């Protein structure tokens, strides 16, 4: 595969994102990876970590096409708004964080990058700056003018997408409408085909209620909403199995014959995935016109600058972005 170019954003400057970027750069990558970050911040954090990493400034008008050598990192310098200290949040840097995301996302739209990989941001400190921000996913959906996106987490051997994401449990049932279920299922199917190169993806669908409603005795959402909607989608050619009881769906007998699981709500599907692959899982935003993957953990302010962190999730996020870009290339 011809080397491609990817954007890497380090997220919250007081968190472990800058550390991850530096630790990762100890080894050579197969593609040109451009950190959109403050050079000053990376230099400071490298000193804290005792790392000898060569930071290579790049011109956004002439970005490199070849991978950087081991122990070096390409940097598109994006100045901080205030000095950053490990573990200490500062709302003055909210604009900095959003600028890195904008440069990466717009760069993907403009064809500068084959995809973007994001380290964790701190939603609270961005909101404290007076900026309405609910997360990477929503920000990138707005940037790319995307109406509907789907959150999917993946680890080696398991992908789990969500019909609903960050909702109180009491609101979940009402949010599972035929329209939402149709849109999410179509996006999941389309991206498994176009971005993962799976010609005929097989998707297992969880029921909402215990035992998938037990024939209506434990809830009627399966009968009245989920089953009819899935039947209509099957008529379009989607390979959807279910609704199945979630307590038995996540077993080898079922999982070995599927490409993804569609869970109805956050804590139905993600605890299983994180048990299987915590520290080696990736968050993928489906439905965007660009490739975006992210780590599956937070900013870990208490570990910033300590060196006591694991790069596993970022490594999987990179690996997944590379694989998605390659699949997209093959499909063109």
């Amino acid at each position: 595969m011809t080397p491609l170019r990817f954007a890497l954003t380090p997220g919250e400057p007081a968190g472990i994102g800058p550390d991850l970027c530096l630790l990762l750069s100890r080894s050579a990558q197969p593609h040109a990876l451009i950190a959109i970050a403050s050079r000053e911040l990376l230099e400071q954090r490298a000193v804290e970590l005792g790392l000898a990493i060569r930071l290579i400034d790049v011109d956004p008008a002439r970005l490199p096409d070849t991978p950087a050598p081991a122990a070096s990192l390409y940097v598109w310098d994006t100045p901080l708004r205030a000095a950053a200290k490990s573990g200490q949040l500062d709302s003055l840097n909210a604009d900095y964080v959003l600028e890195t995301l904008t440069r990466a996302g717009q760069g993907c739209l403009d064809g500068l990058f084959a995809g973007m990989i994001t380290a964790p941001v701190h939603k609270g400190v961005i909101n404290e700056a007076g900026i309405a921000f609910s997360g990477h996913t929503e920000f990138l959906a707005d940037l790319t003018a995307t109406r509907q996106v789907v959150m999917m987490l993946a680890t080696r051997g398991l992908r789990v997408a969500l019909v609903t994401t960050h909702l109180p449990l009491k609101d979940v049932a009402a949010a599972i409408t035929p329209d939402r279920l149709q849109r999410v299922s179509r996006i999941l199917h389309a991206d498994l085909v176009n971005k993962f190169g799976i010609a005929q993806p097989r998707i297992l669908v969880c029921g909402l209620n215990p035992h998938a409603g037990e024939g209506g005795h434990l809830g009627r959402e399966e009968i009245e909403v989920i089953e009819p909607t899935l039947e209509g989608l099957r008529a379009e050619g989607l390979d959807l199995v279910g609704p199945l009881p979630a307590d038995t769906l996540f077993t080898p007998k079922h999982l070995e014959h599927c490409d993804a699981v569609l869970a109805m709500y956050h804590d139905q599907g993600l605890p299983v995935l994180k048990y299987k692959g915590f520290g080696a899982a990736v968050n993928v935003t489906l439905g965007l016109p660009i490739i975006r993957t992210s780590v599956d953990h937070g900013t870990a302010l208490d570990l910033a600058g300590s060196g006591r962190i694991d790069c596993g999730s970022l490594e999987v996020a990179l690996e997944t972005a590379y694989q998605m870009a390659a699949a997209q290339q093959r499909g063109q």
Side-chain angles (χ1 to χ4, degrees), residues 63-306:
L63 292 172
D65 292 319
T66 56
S72 61
L73 179 64
Y74 291 130
V75 181
W76 178 350
D77 187 28
T78 307
L80 291 165
R81 304 301 191 265
K85 296 182 179 179
S86 298
Q88 297 181 31
L89 295 171
D90 189 336
S91 61
L92 292 176
N93 279 321
D95 283 333
Y96 157 79
V97 173
L98 298 185
E99 184 175 359
T100 65
L101 296 178
T102 300
R103 285 182 172 183
Q106 191 62 49
C108 289
L109 289 173
D110 294 341
L112 296 178
F113 303 115
M116 61 183 289
I117 301 94
T118 61
V121 297
H122 194 287
K123 300 182 186 72
V125 76
I126 296 174
N127 282 281
E128 286 174 14
I131 302 168
F133 181 83
S134 53
H136 278 112
T137 301
E138 294 80 6
F139 182 85
L140 292 172
D142 288 342
L143 181 68
T144 59
T146 303
R147 177 171 172 257
Q148 175 77 47
V149 292
V150 174
M151 178 178 174
M152 183 176 81
L153 267 73
T155 189
R156 293 178 180 93
L158 179 62
R159 303 182 185 97
V160 178
L162 303 177
V163 177
T164 64
T165 52
H166 300 120
L167 285 179
L169 194 56
K170 66 181 179 61
D171 297 333
V172 168
I176 299 172
T177 62
D179 180 61
R180 182 192 286 261
L181 185 53
Q182 287 168 359
R183 284 185 281 122
V184 169
S185 299
R186 288 171 182 147
I187 289 169
L188 174 58
H189 171 86
D191 273 11
L192 287 173
V193 173
N194 299 324
K195 292 180 179 175
F196 286 86
I198 303 170
Q200 295 178 309
R202 186 175 181 84
I203 300 166
L204 303 188
V205 183
C206 296
L208 171 65
N209 298 295
H211 301 180
E214 195 79 70
H217 296 289
L218 296 176
R220 297 192 57 81
E221 285 82 5
E222 286 78 10
I223 294 171
E224 295 175 359
V225 177
I226 301 174
E227 290 176 1
T229 303
L230 297 185
E231 194 60 35
L233 291 166
R234 290 186 194 106
E236 298 177 10
L238 278 67
D239 187 357
L240 303 171
V241 181
L244 299 173
D247 64 339
T248 54
L249 182 156
F250 289 102
T251 56
K253 180 181 77 169
H254 292 293
L255 294 179
E256 66 186 3
H257 300 298
C258 83
D259 297 296
V261 172
L262 182 57
M264 290 294 134
Y265 58 95
H266 187 280
D267 282 13
Q268 182 182 59
L270 298 194
V272 180
L273 184 133
K274 292 194 175 186
Y275 177 76
K276 177 177 173 61
F278 190 74
V282 56
N283 187 333
V284 184
T285 305
L286 305 179
L288 294 172
I290 64 175
I291 290 171
R292 179 260 171 168
T293 66
S294 183
V295 295
D296 72 338
H297 56 72
T299 53
L301 297 169
D302 58 320
L303 295 178
S306 72

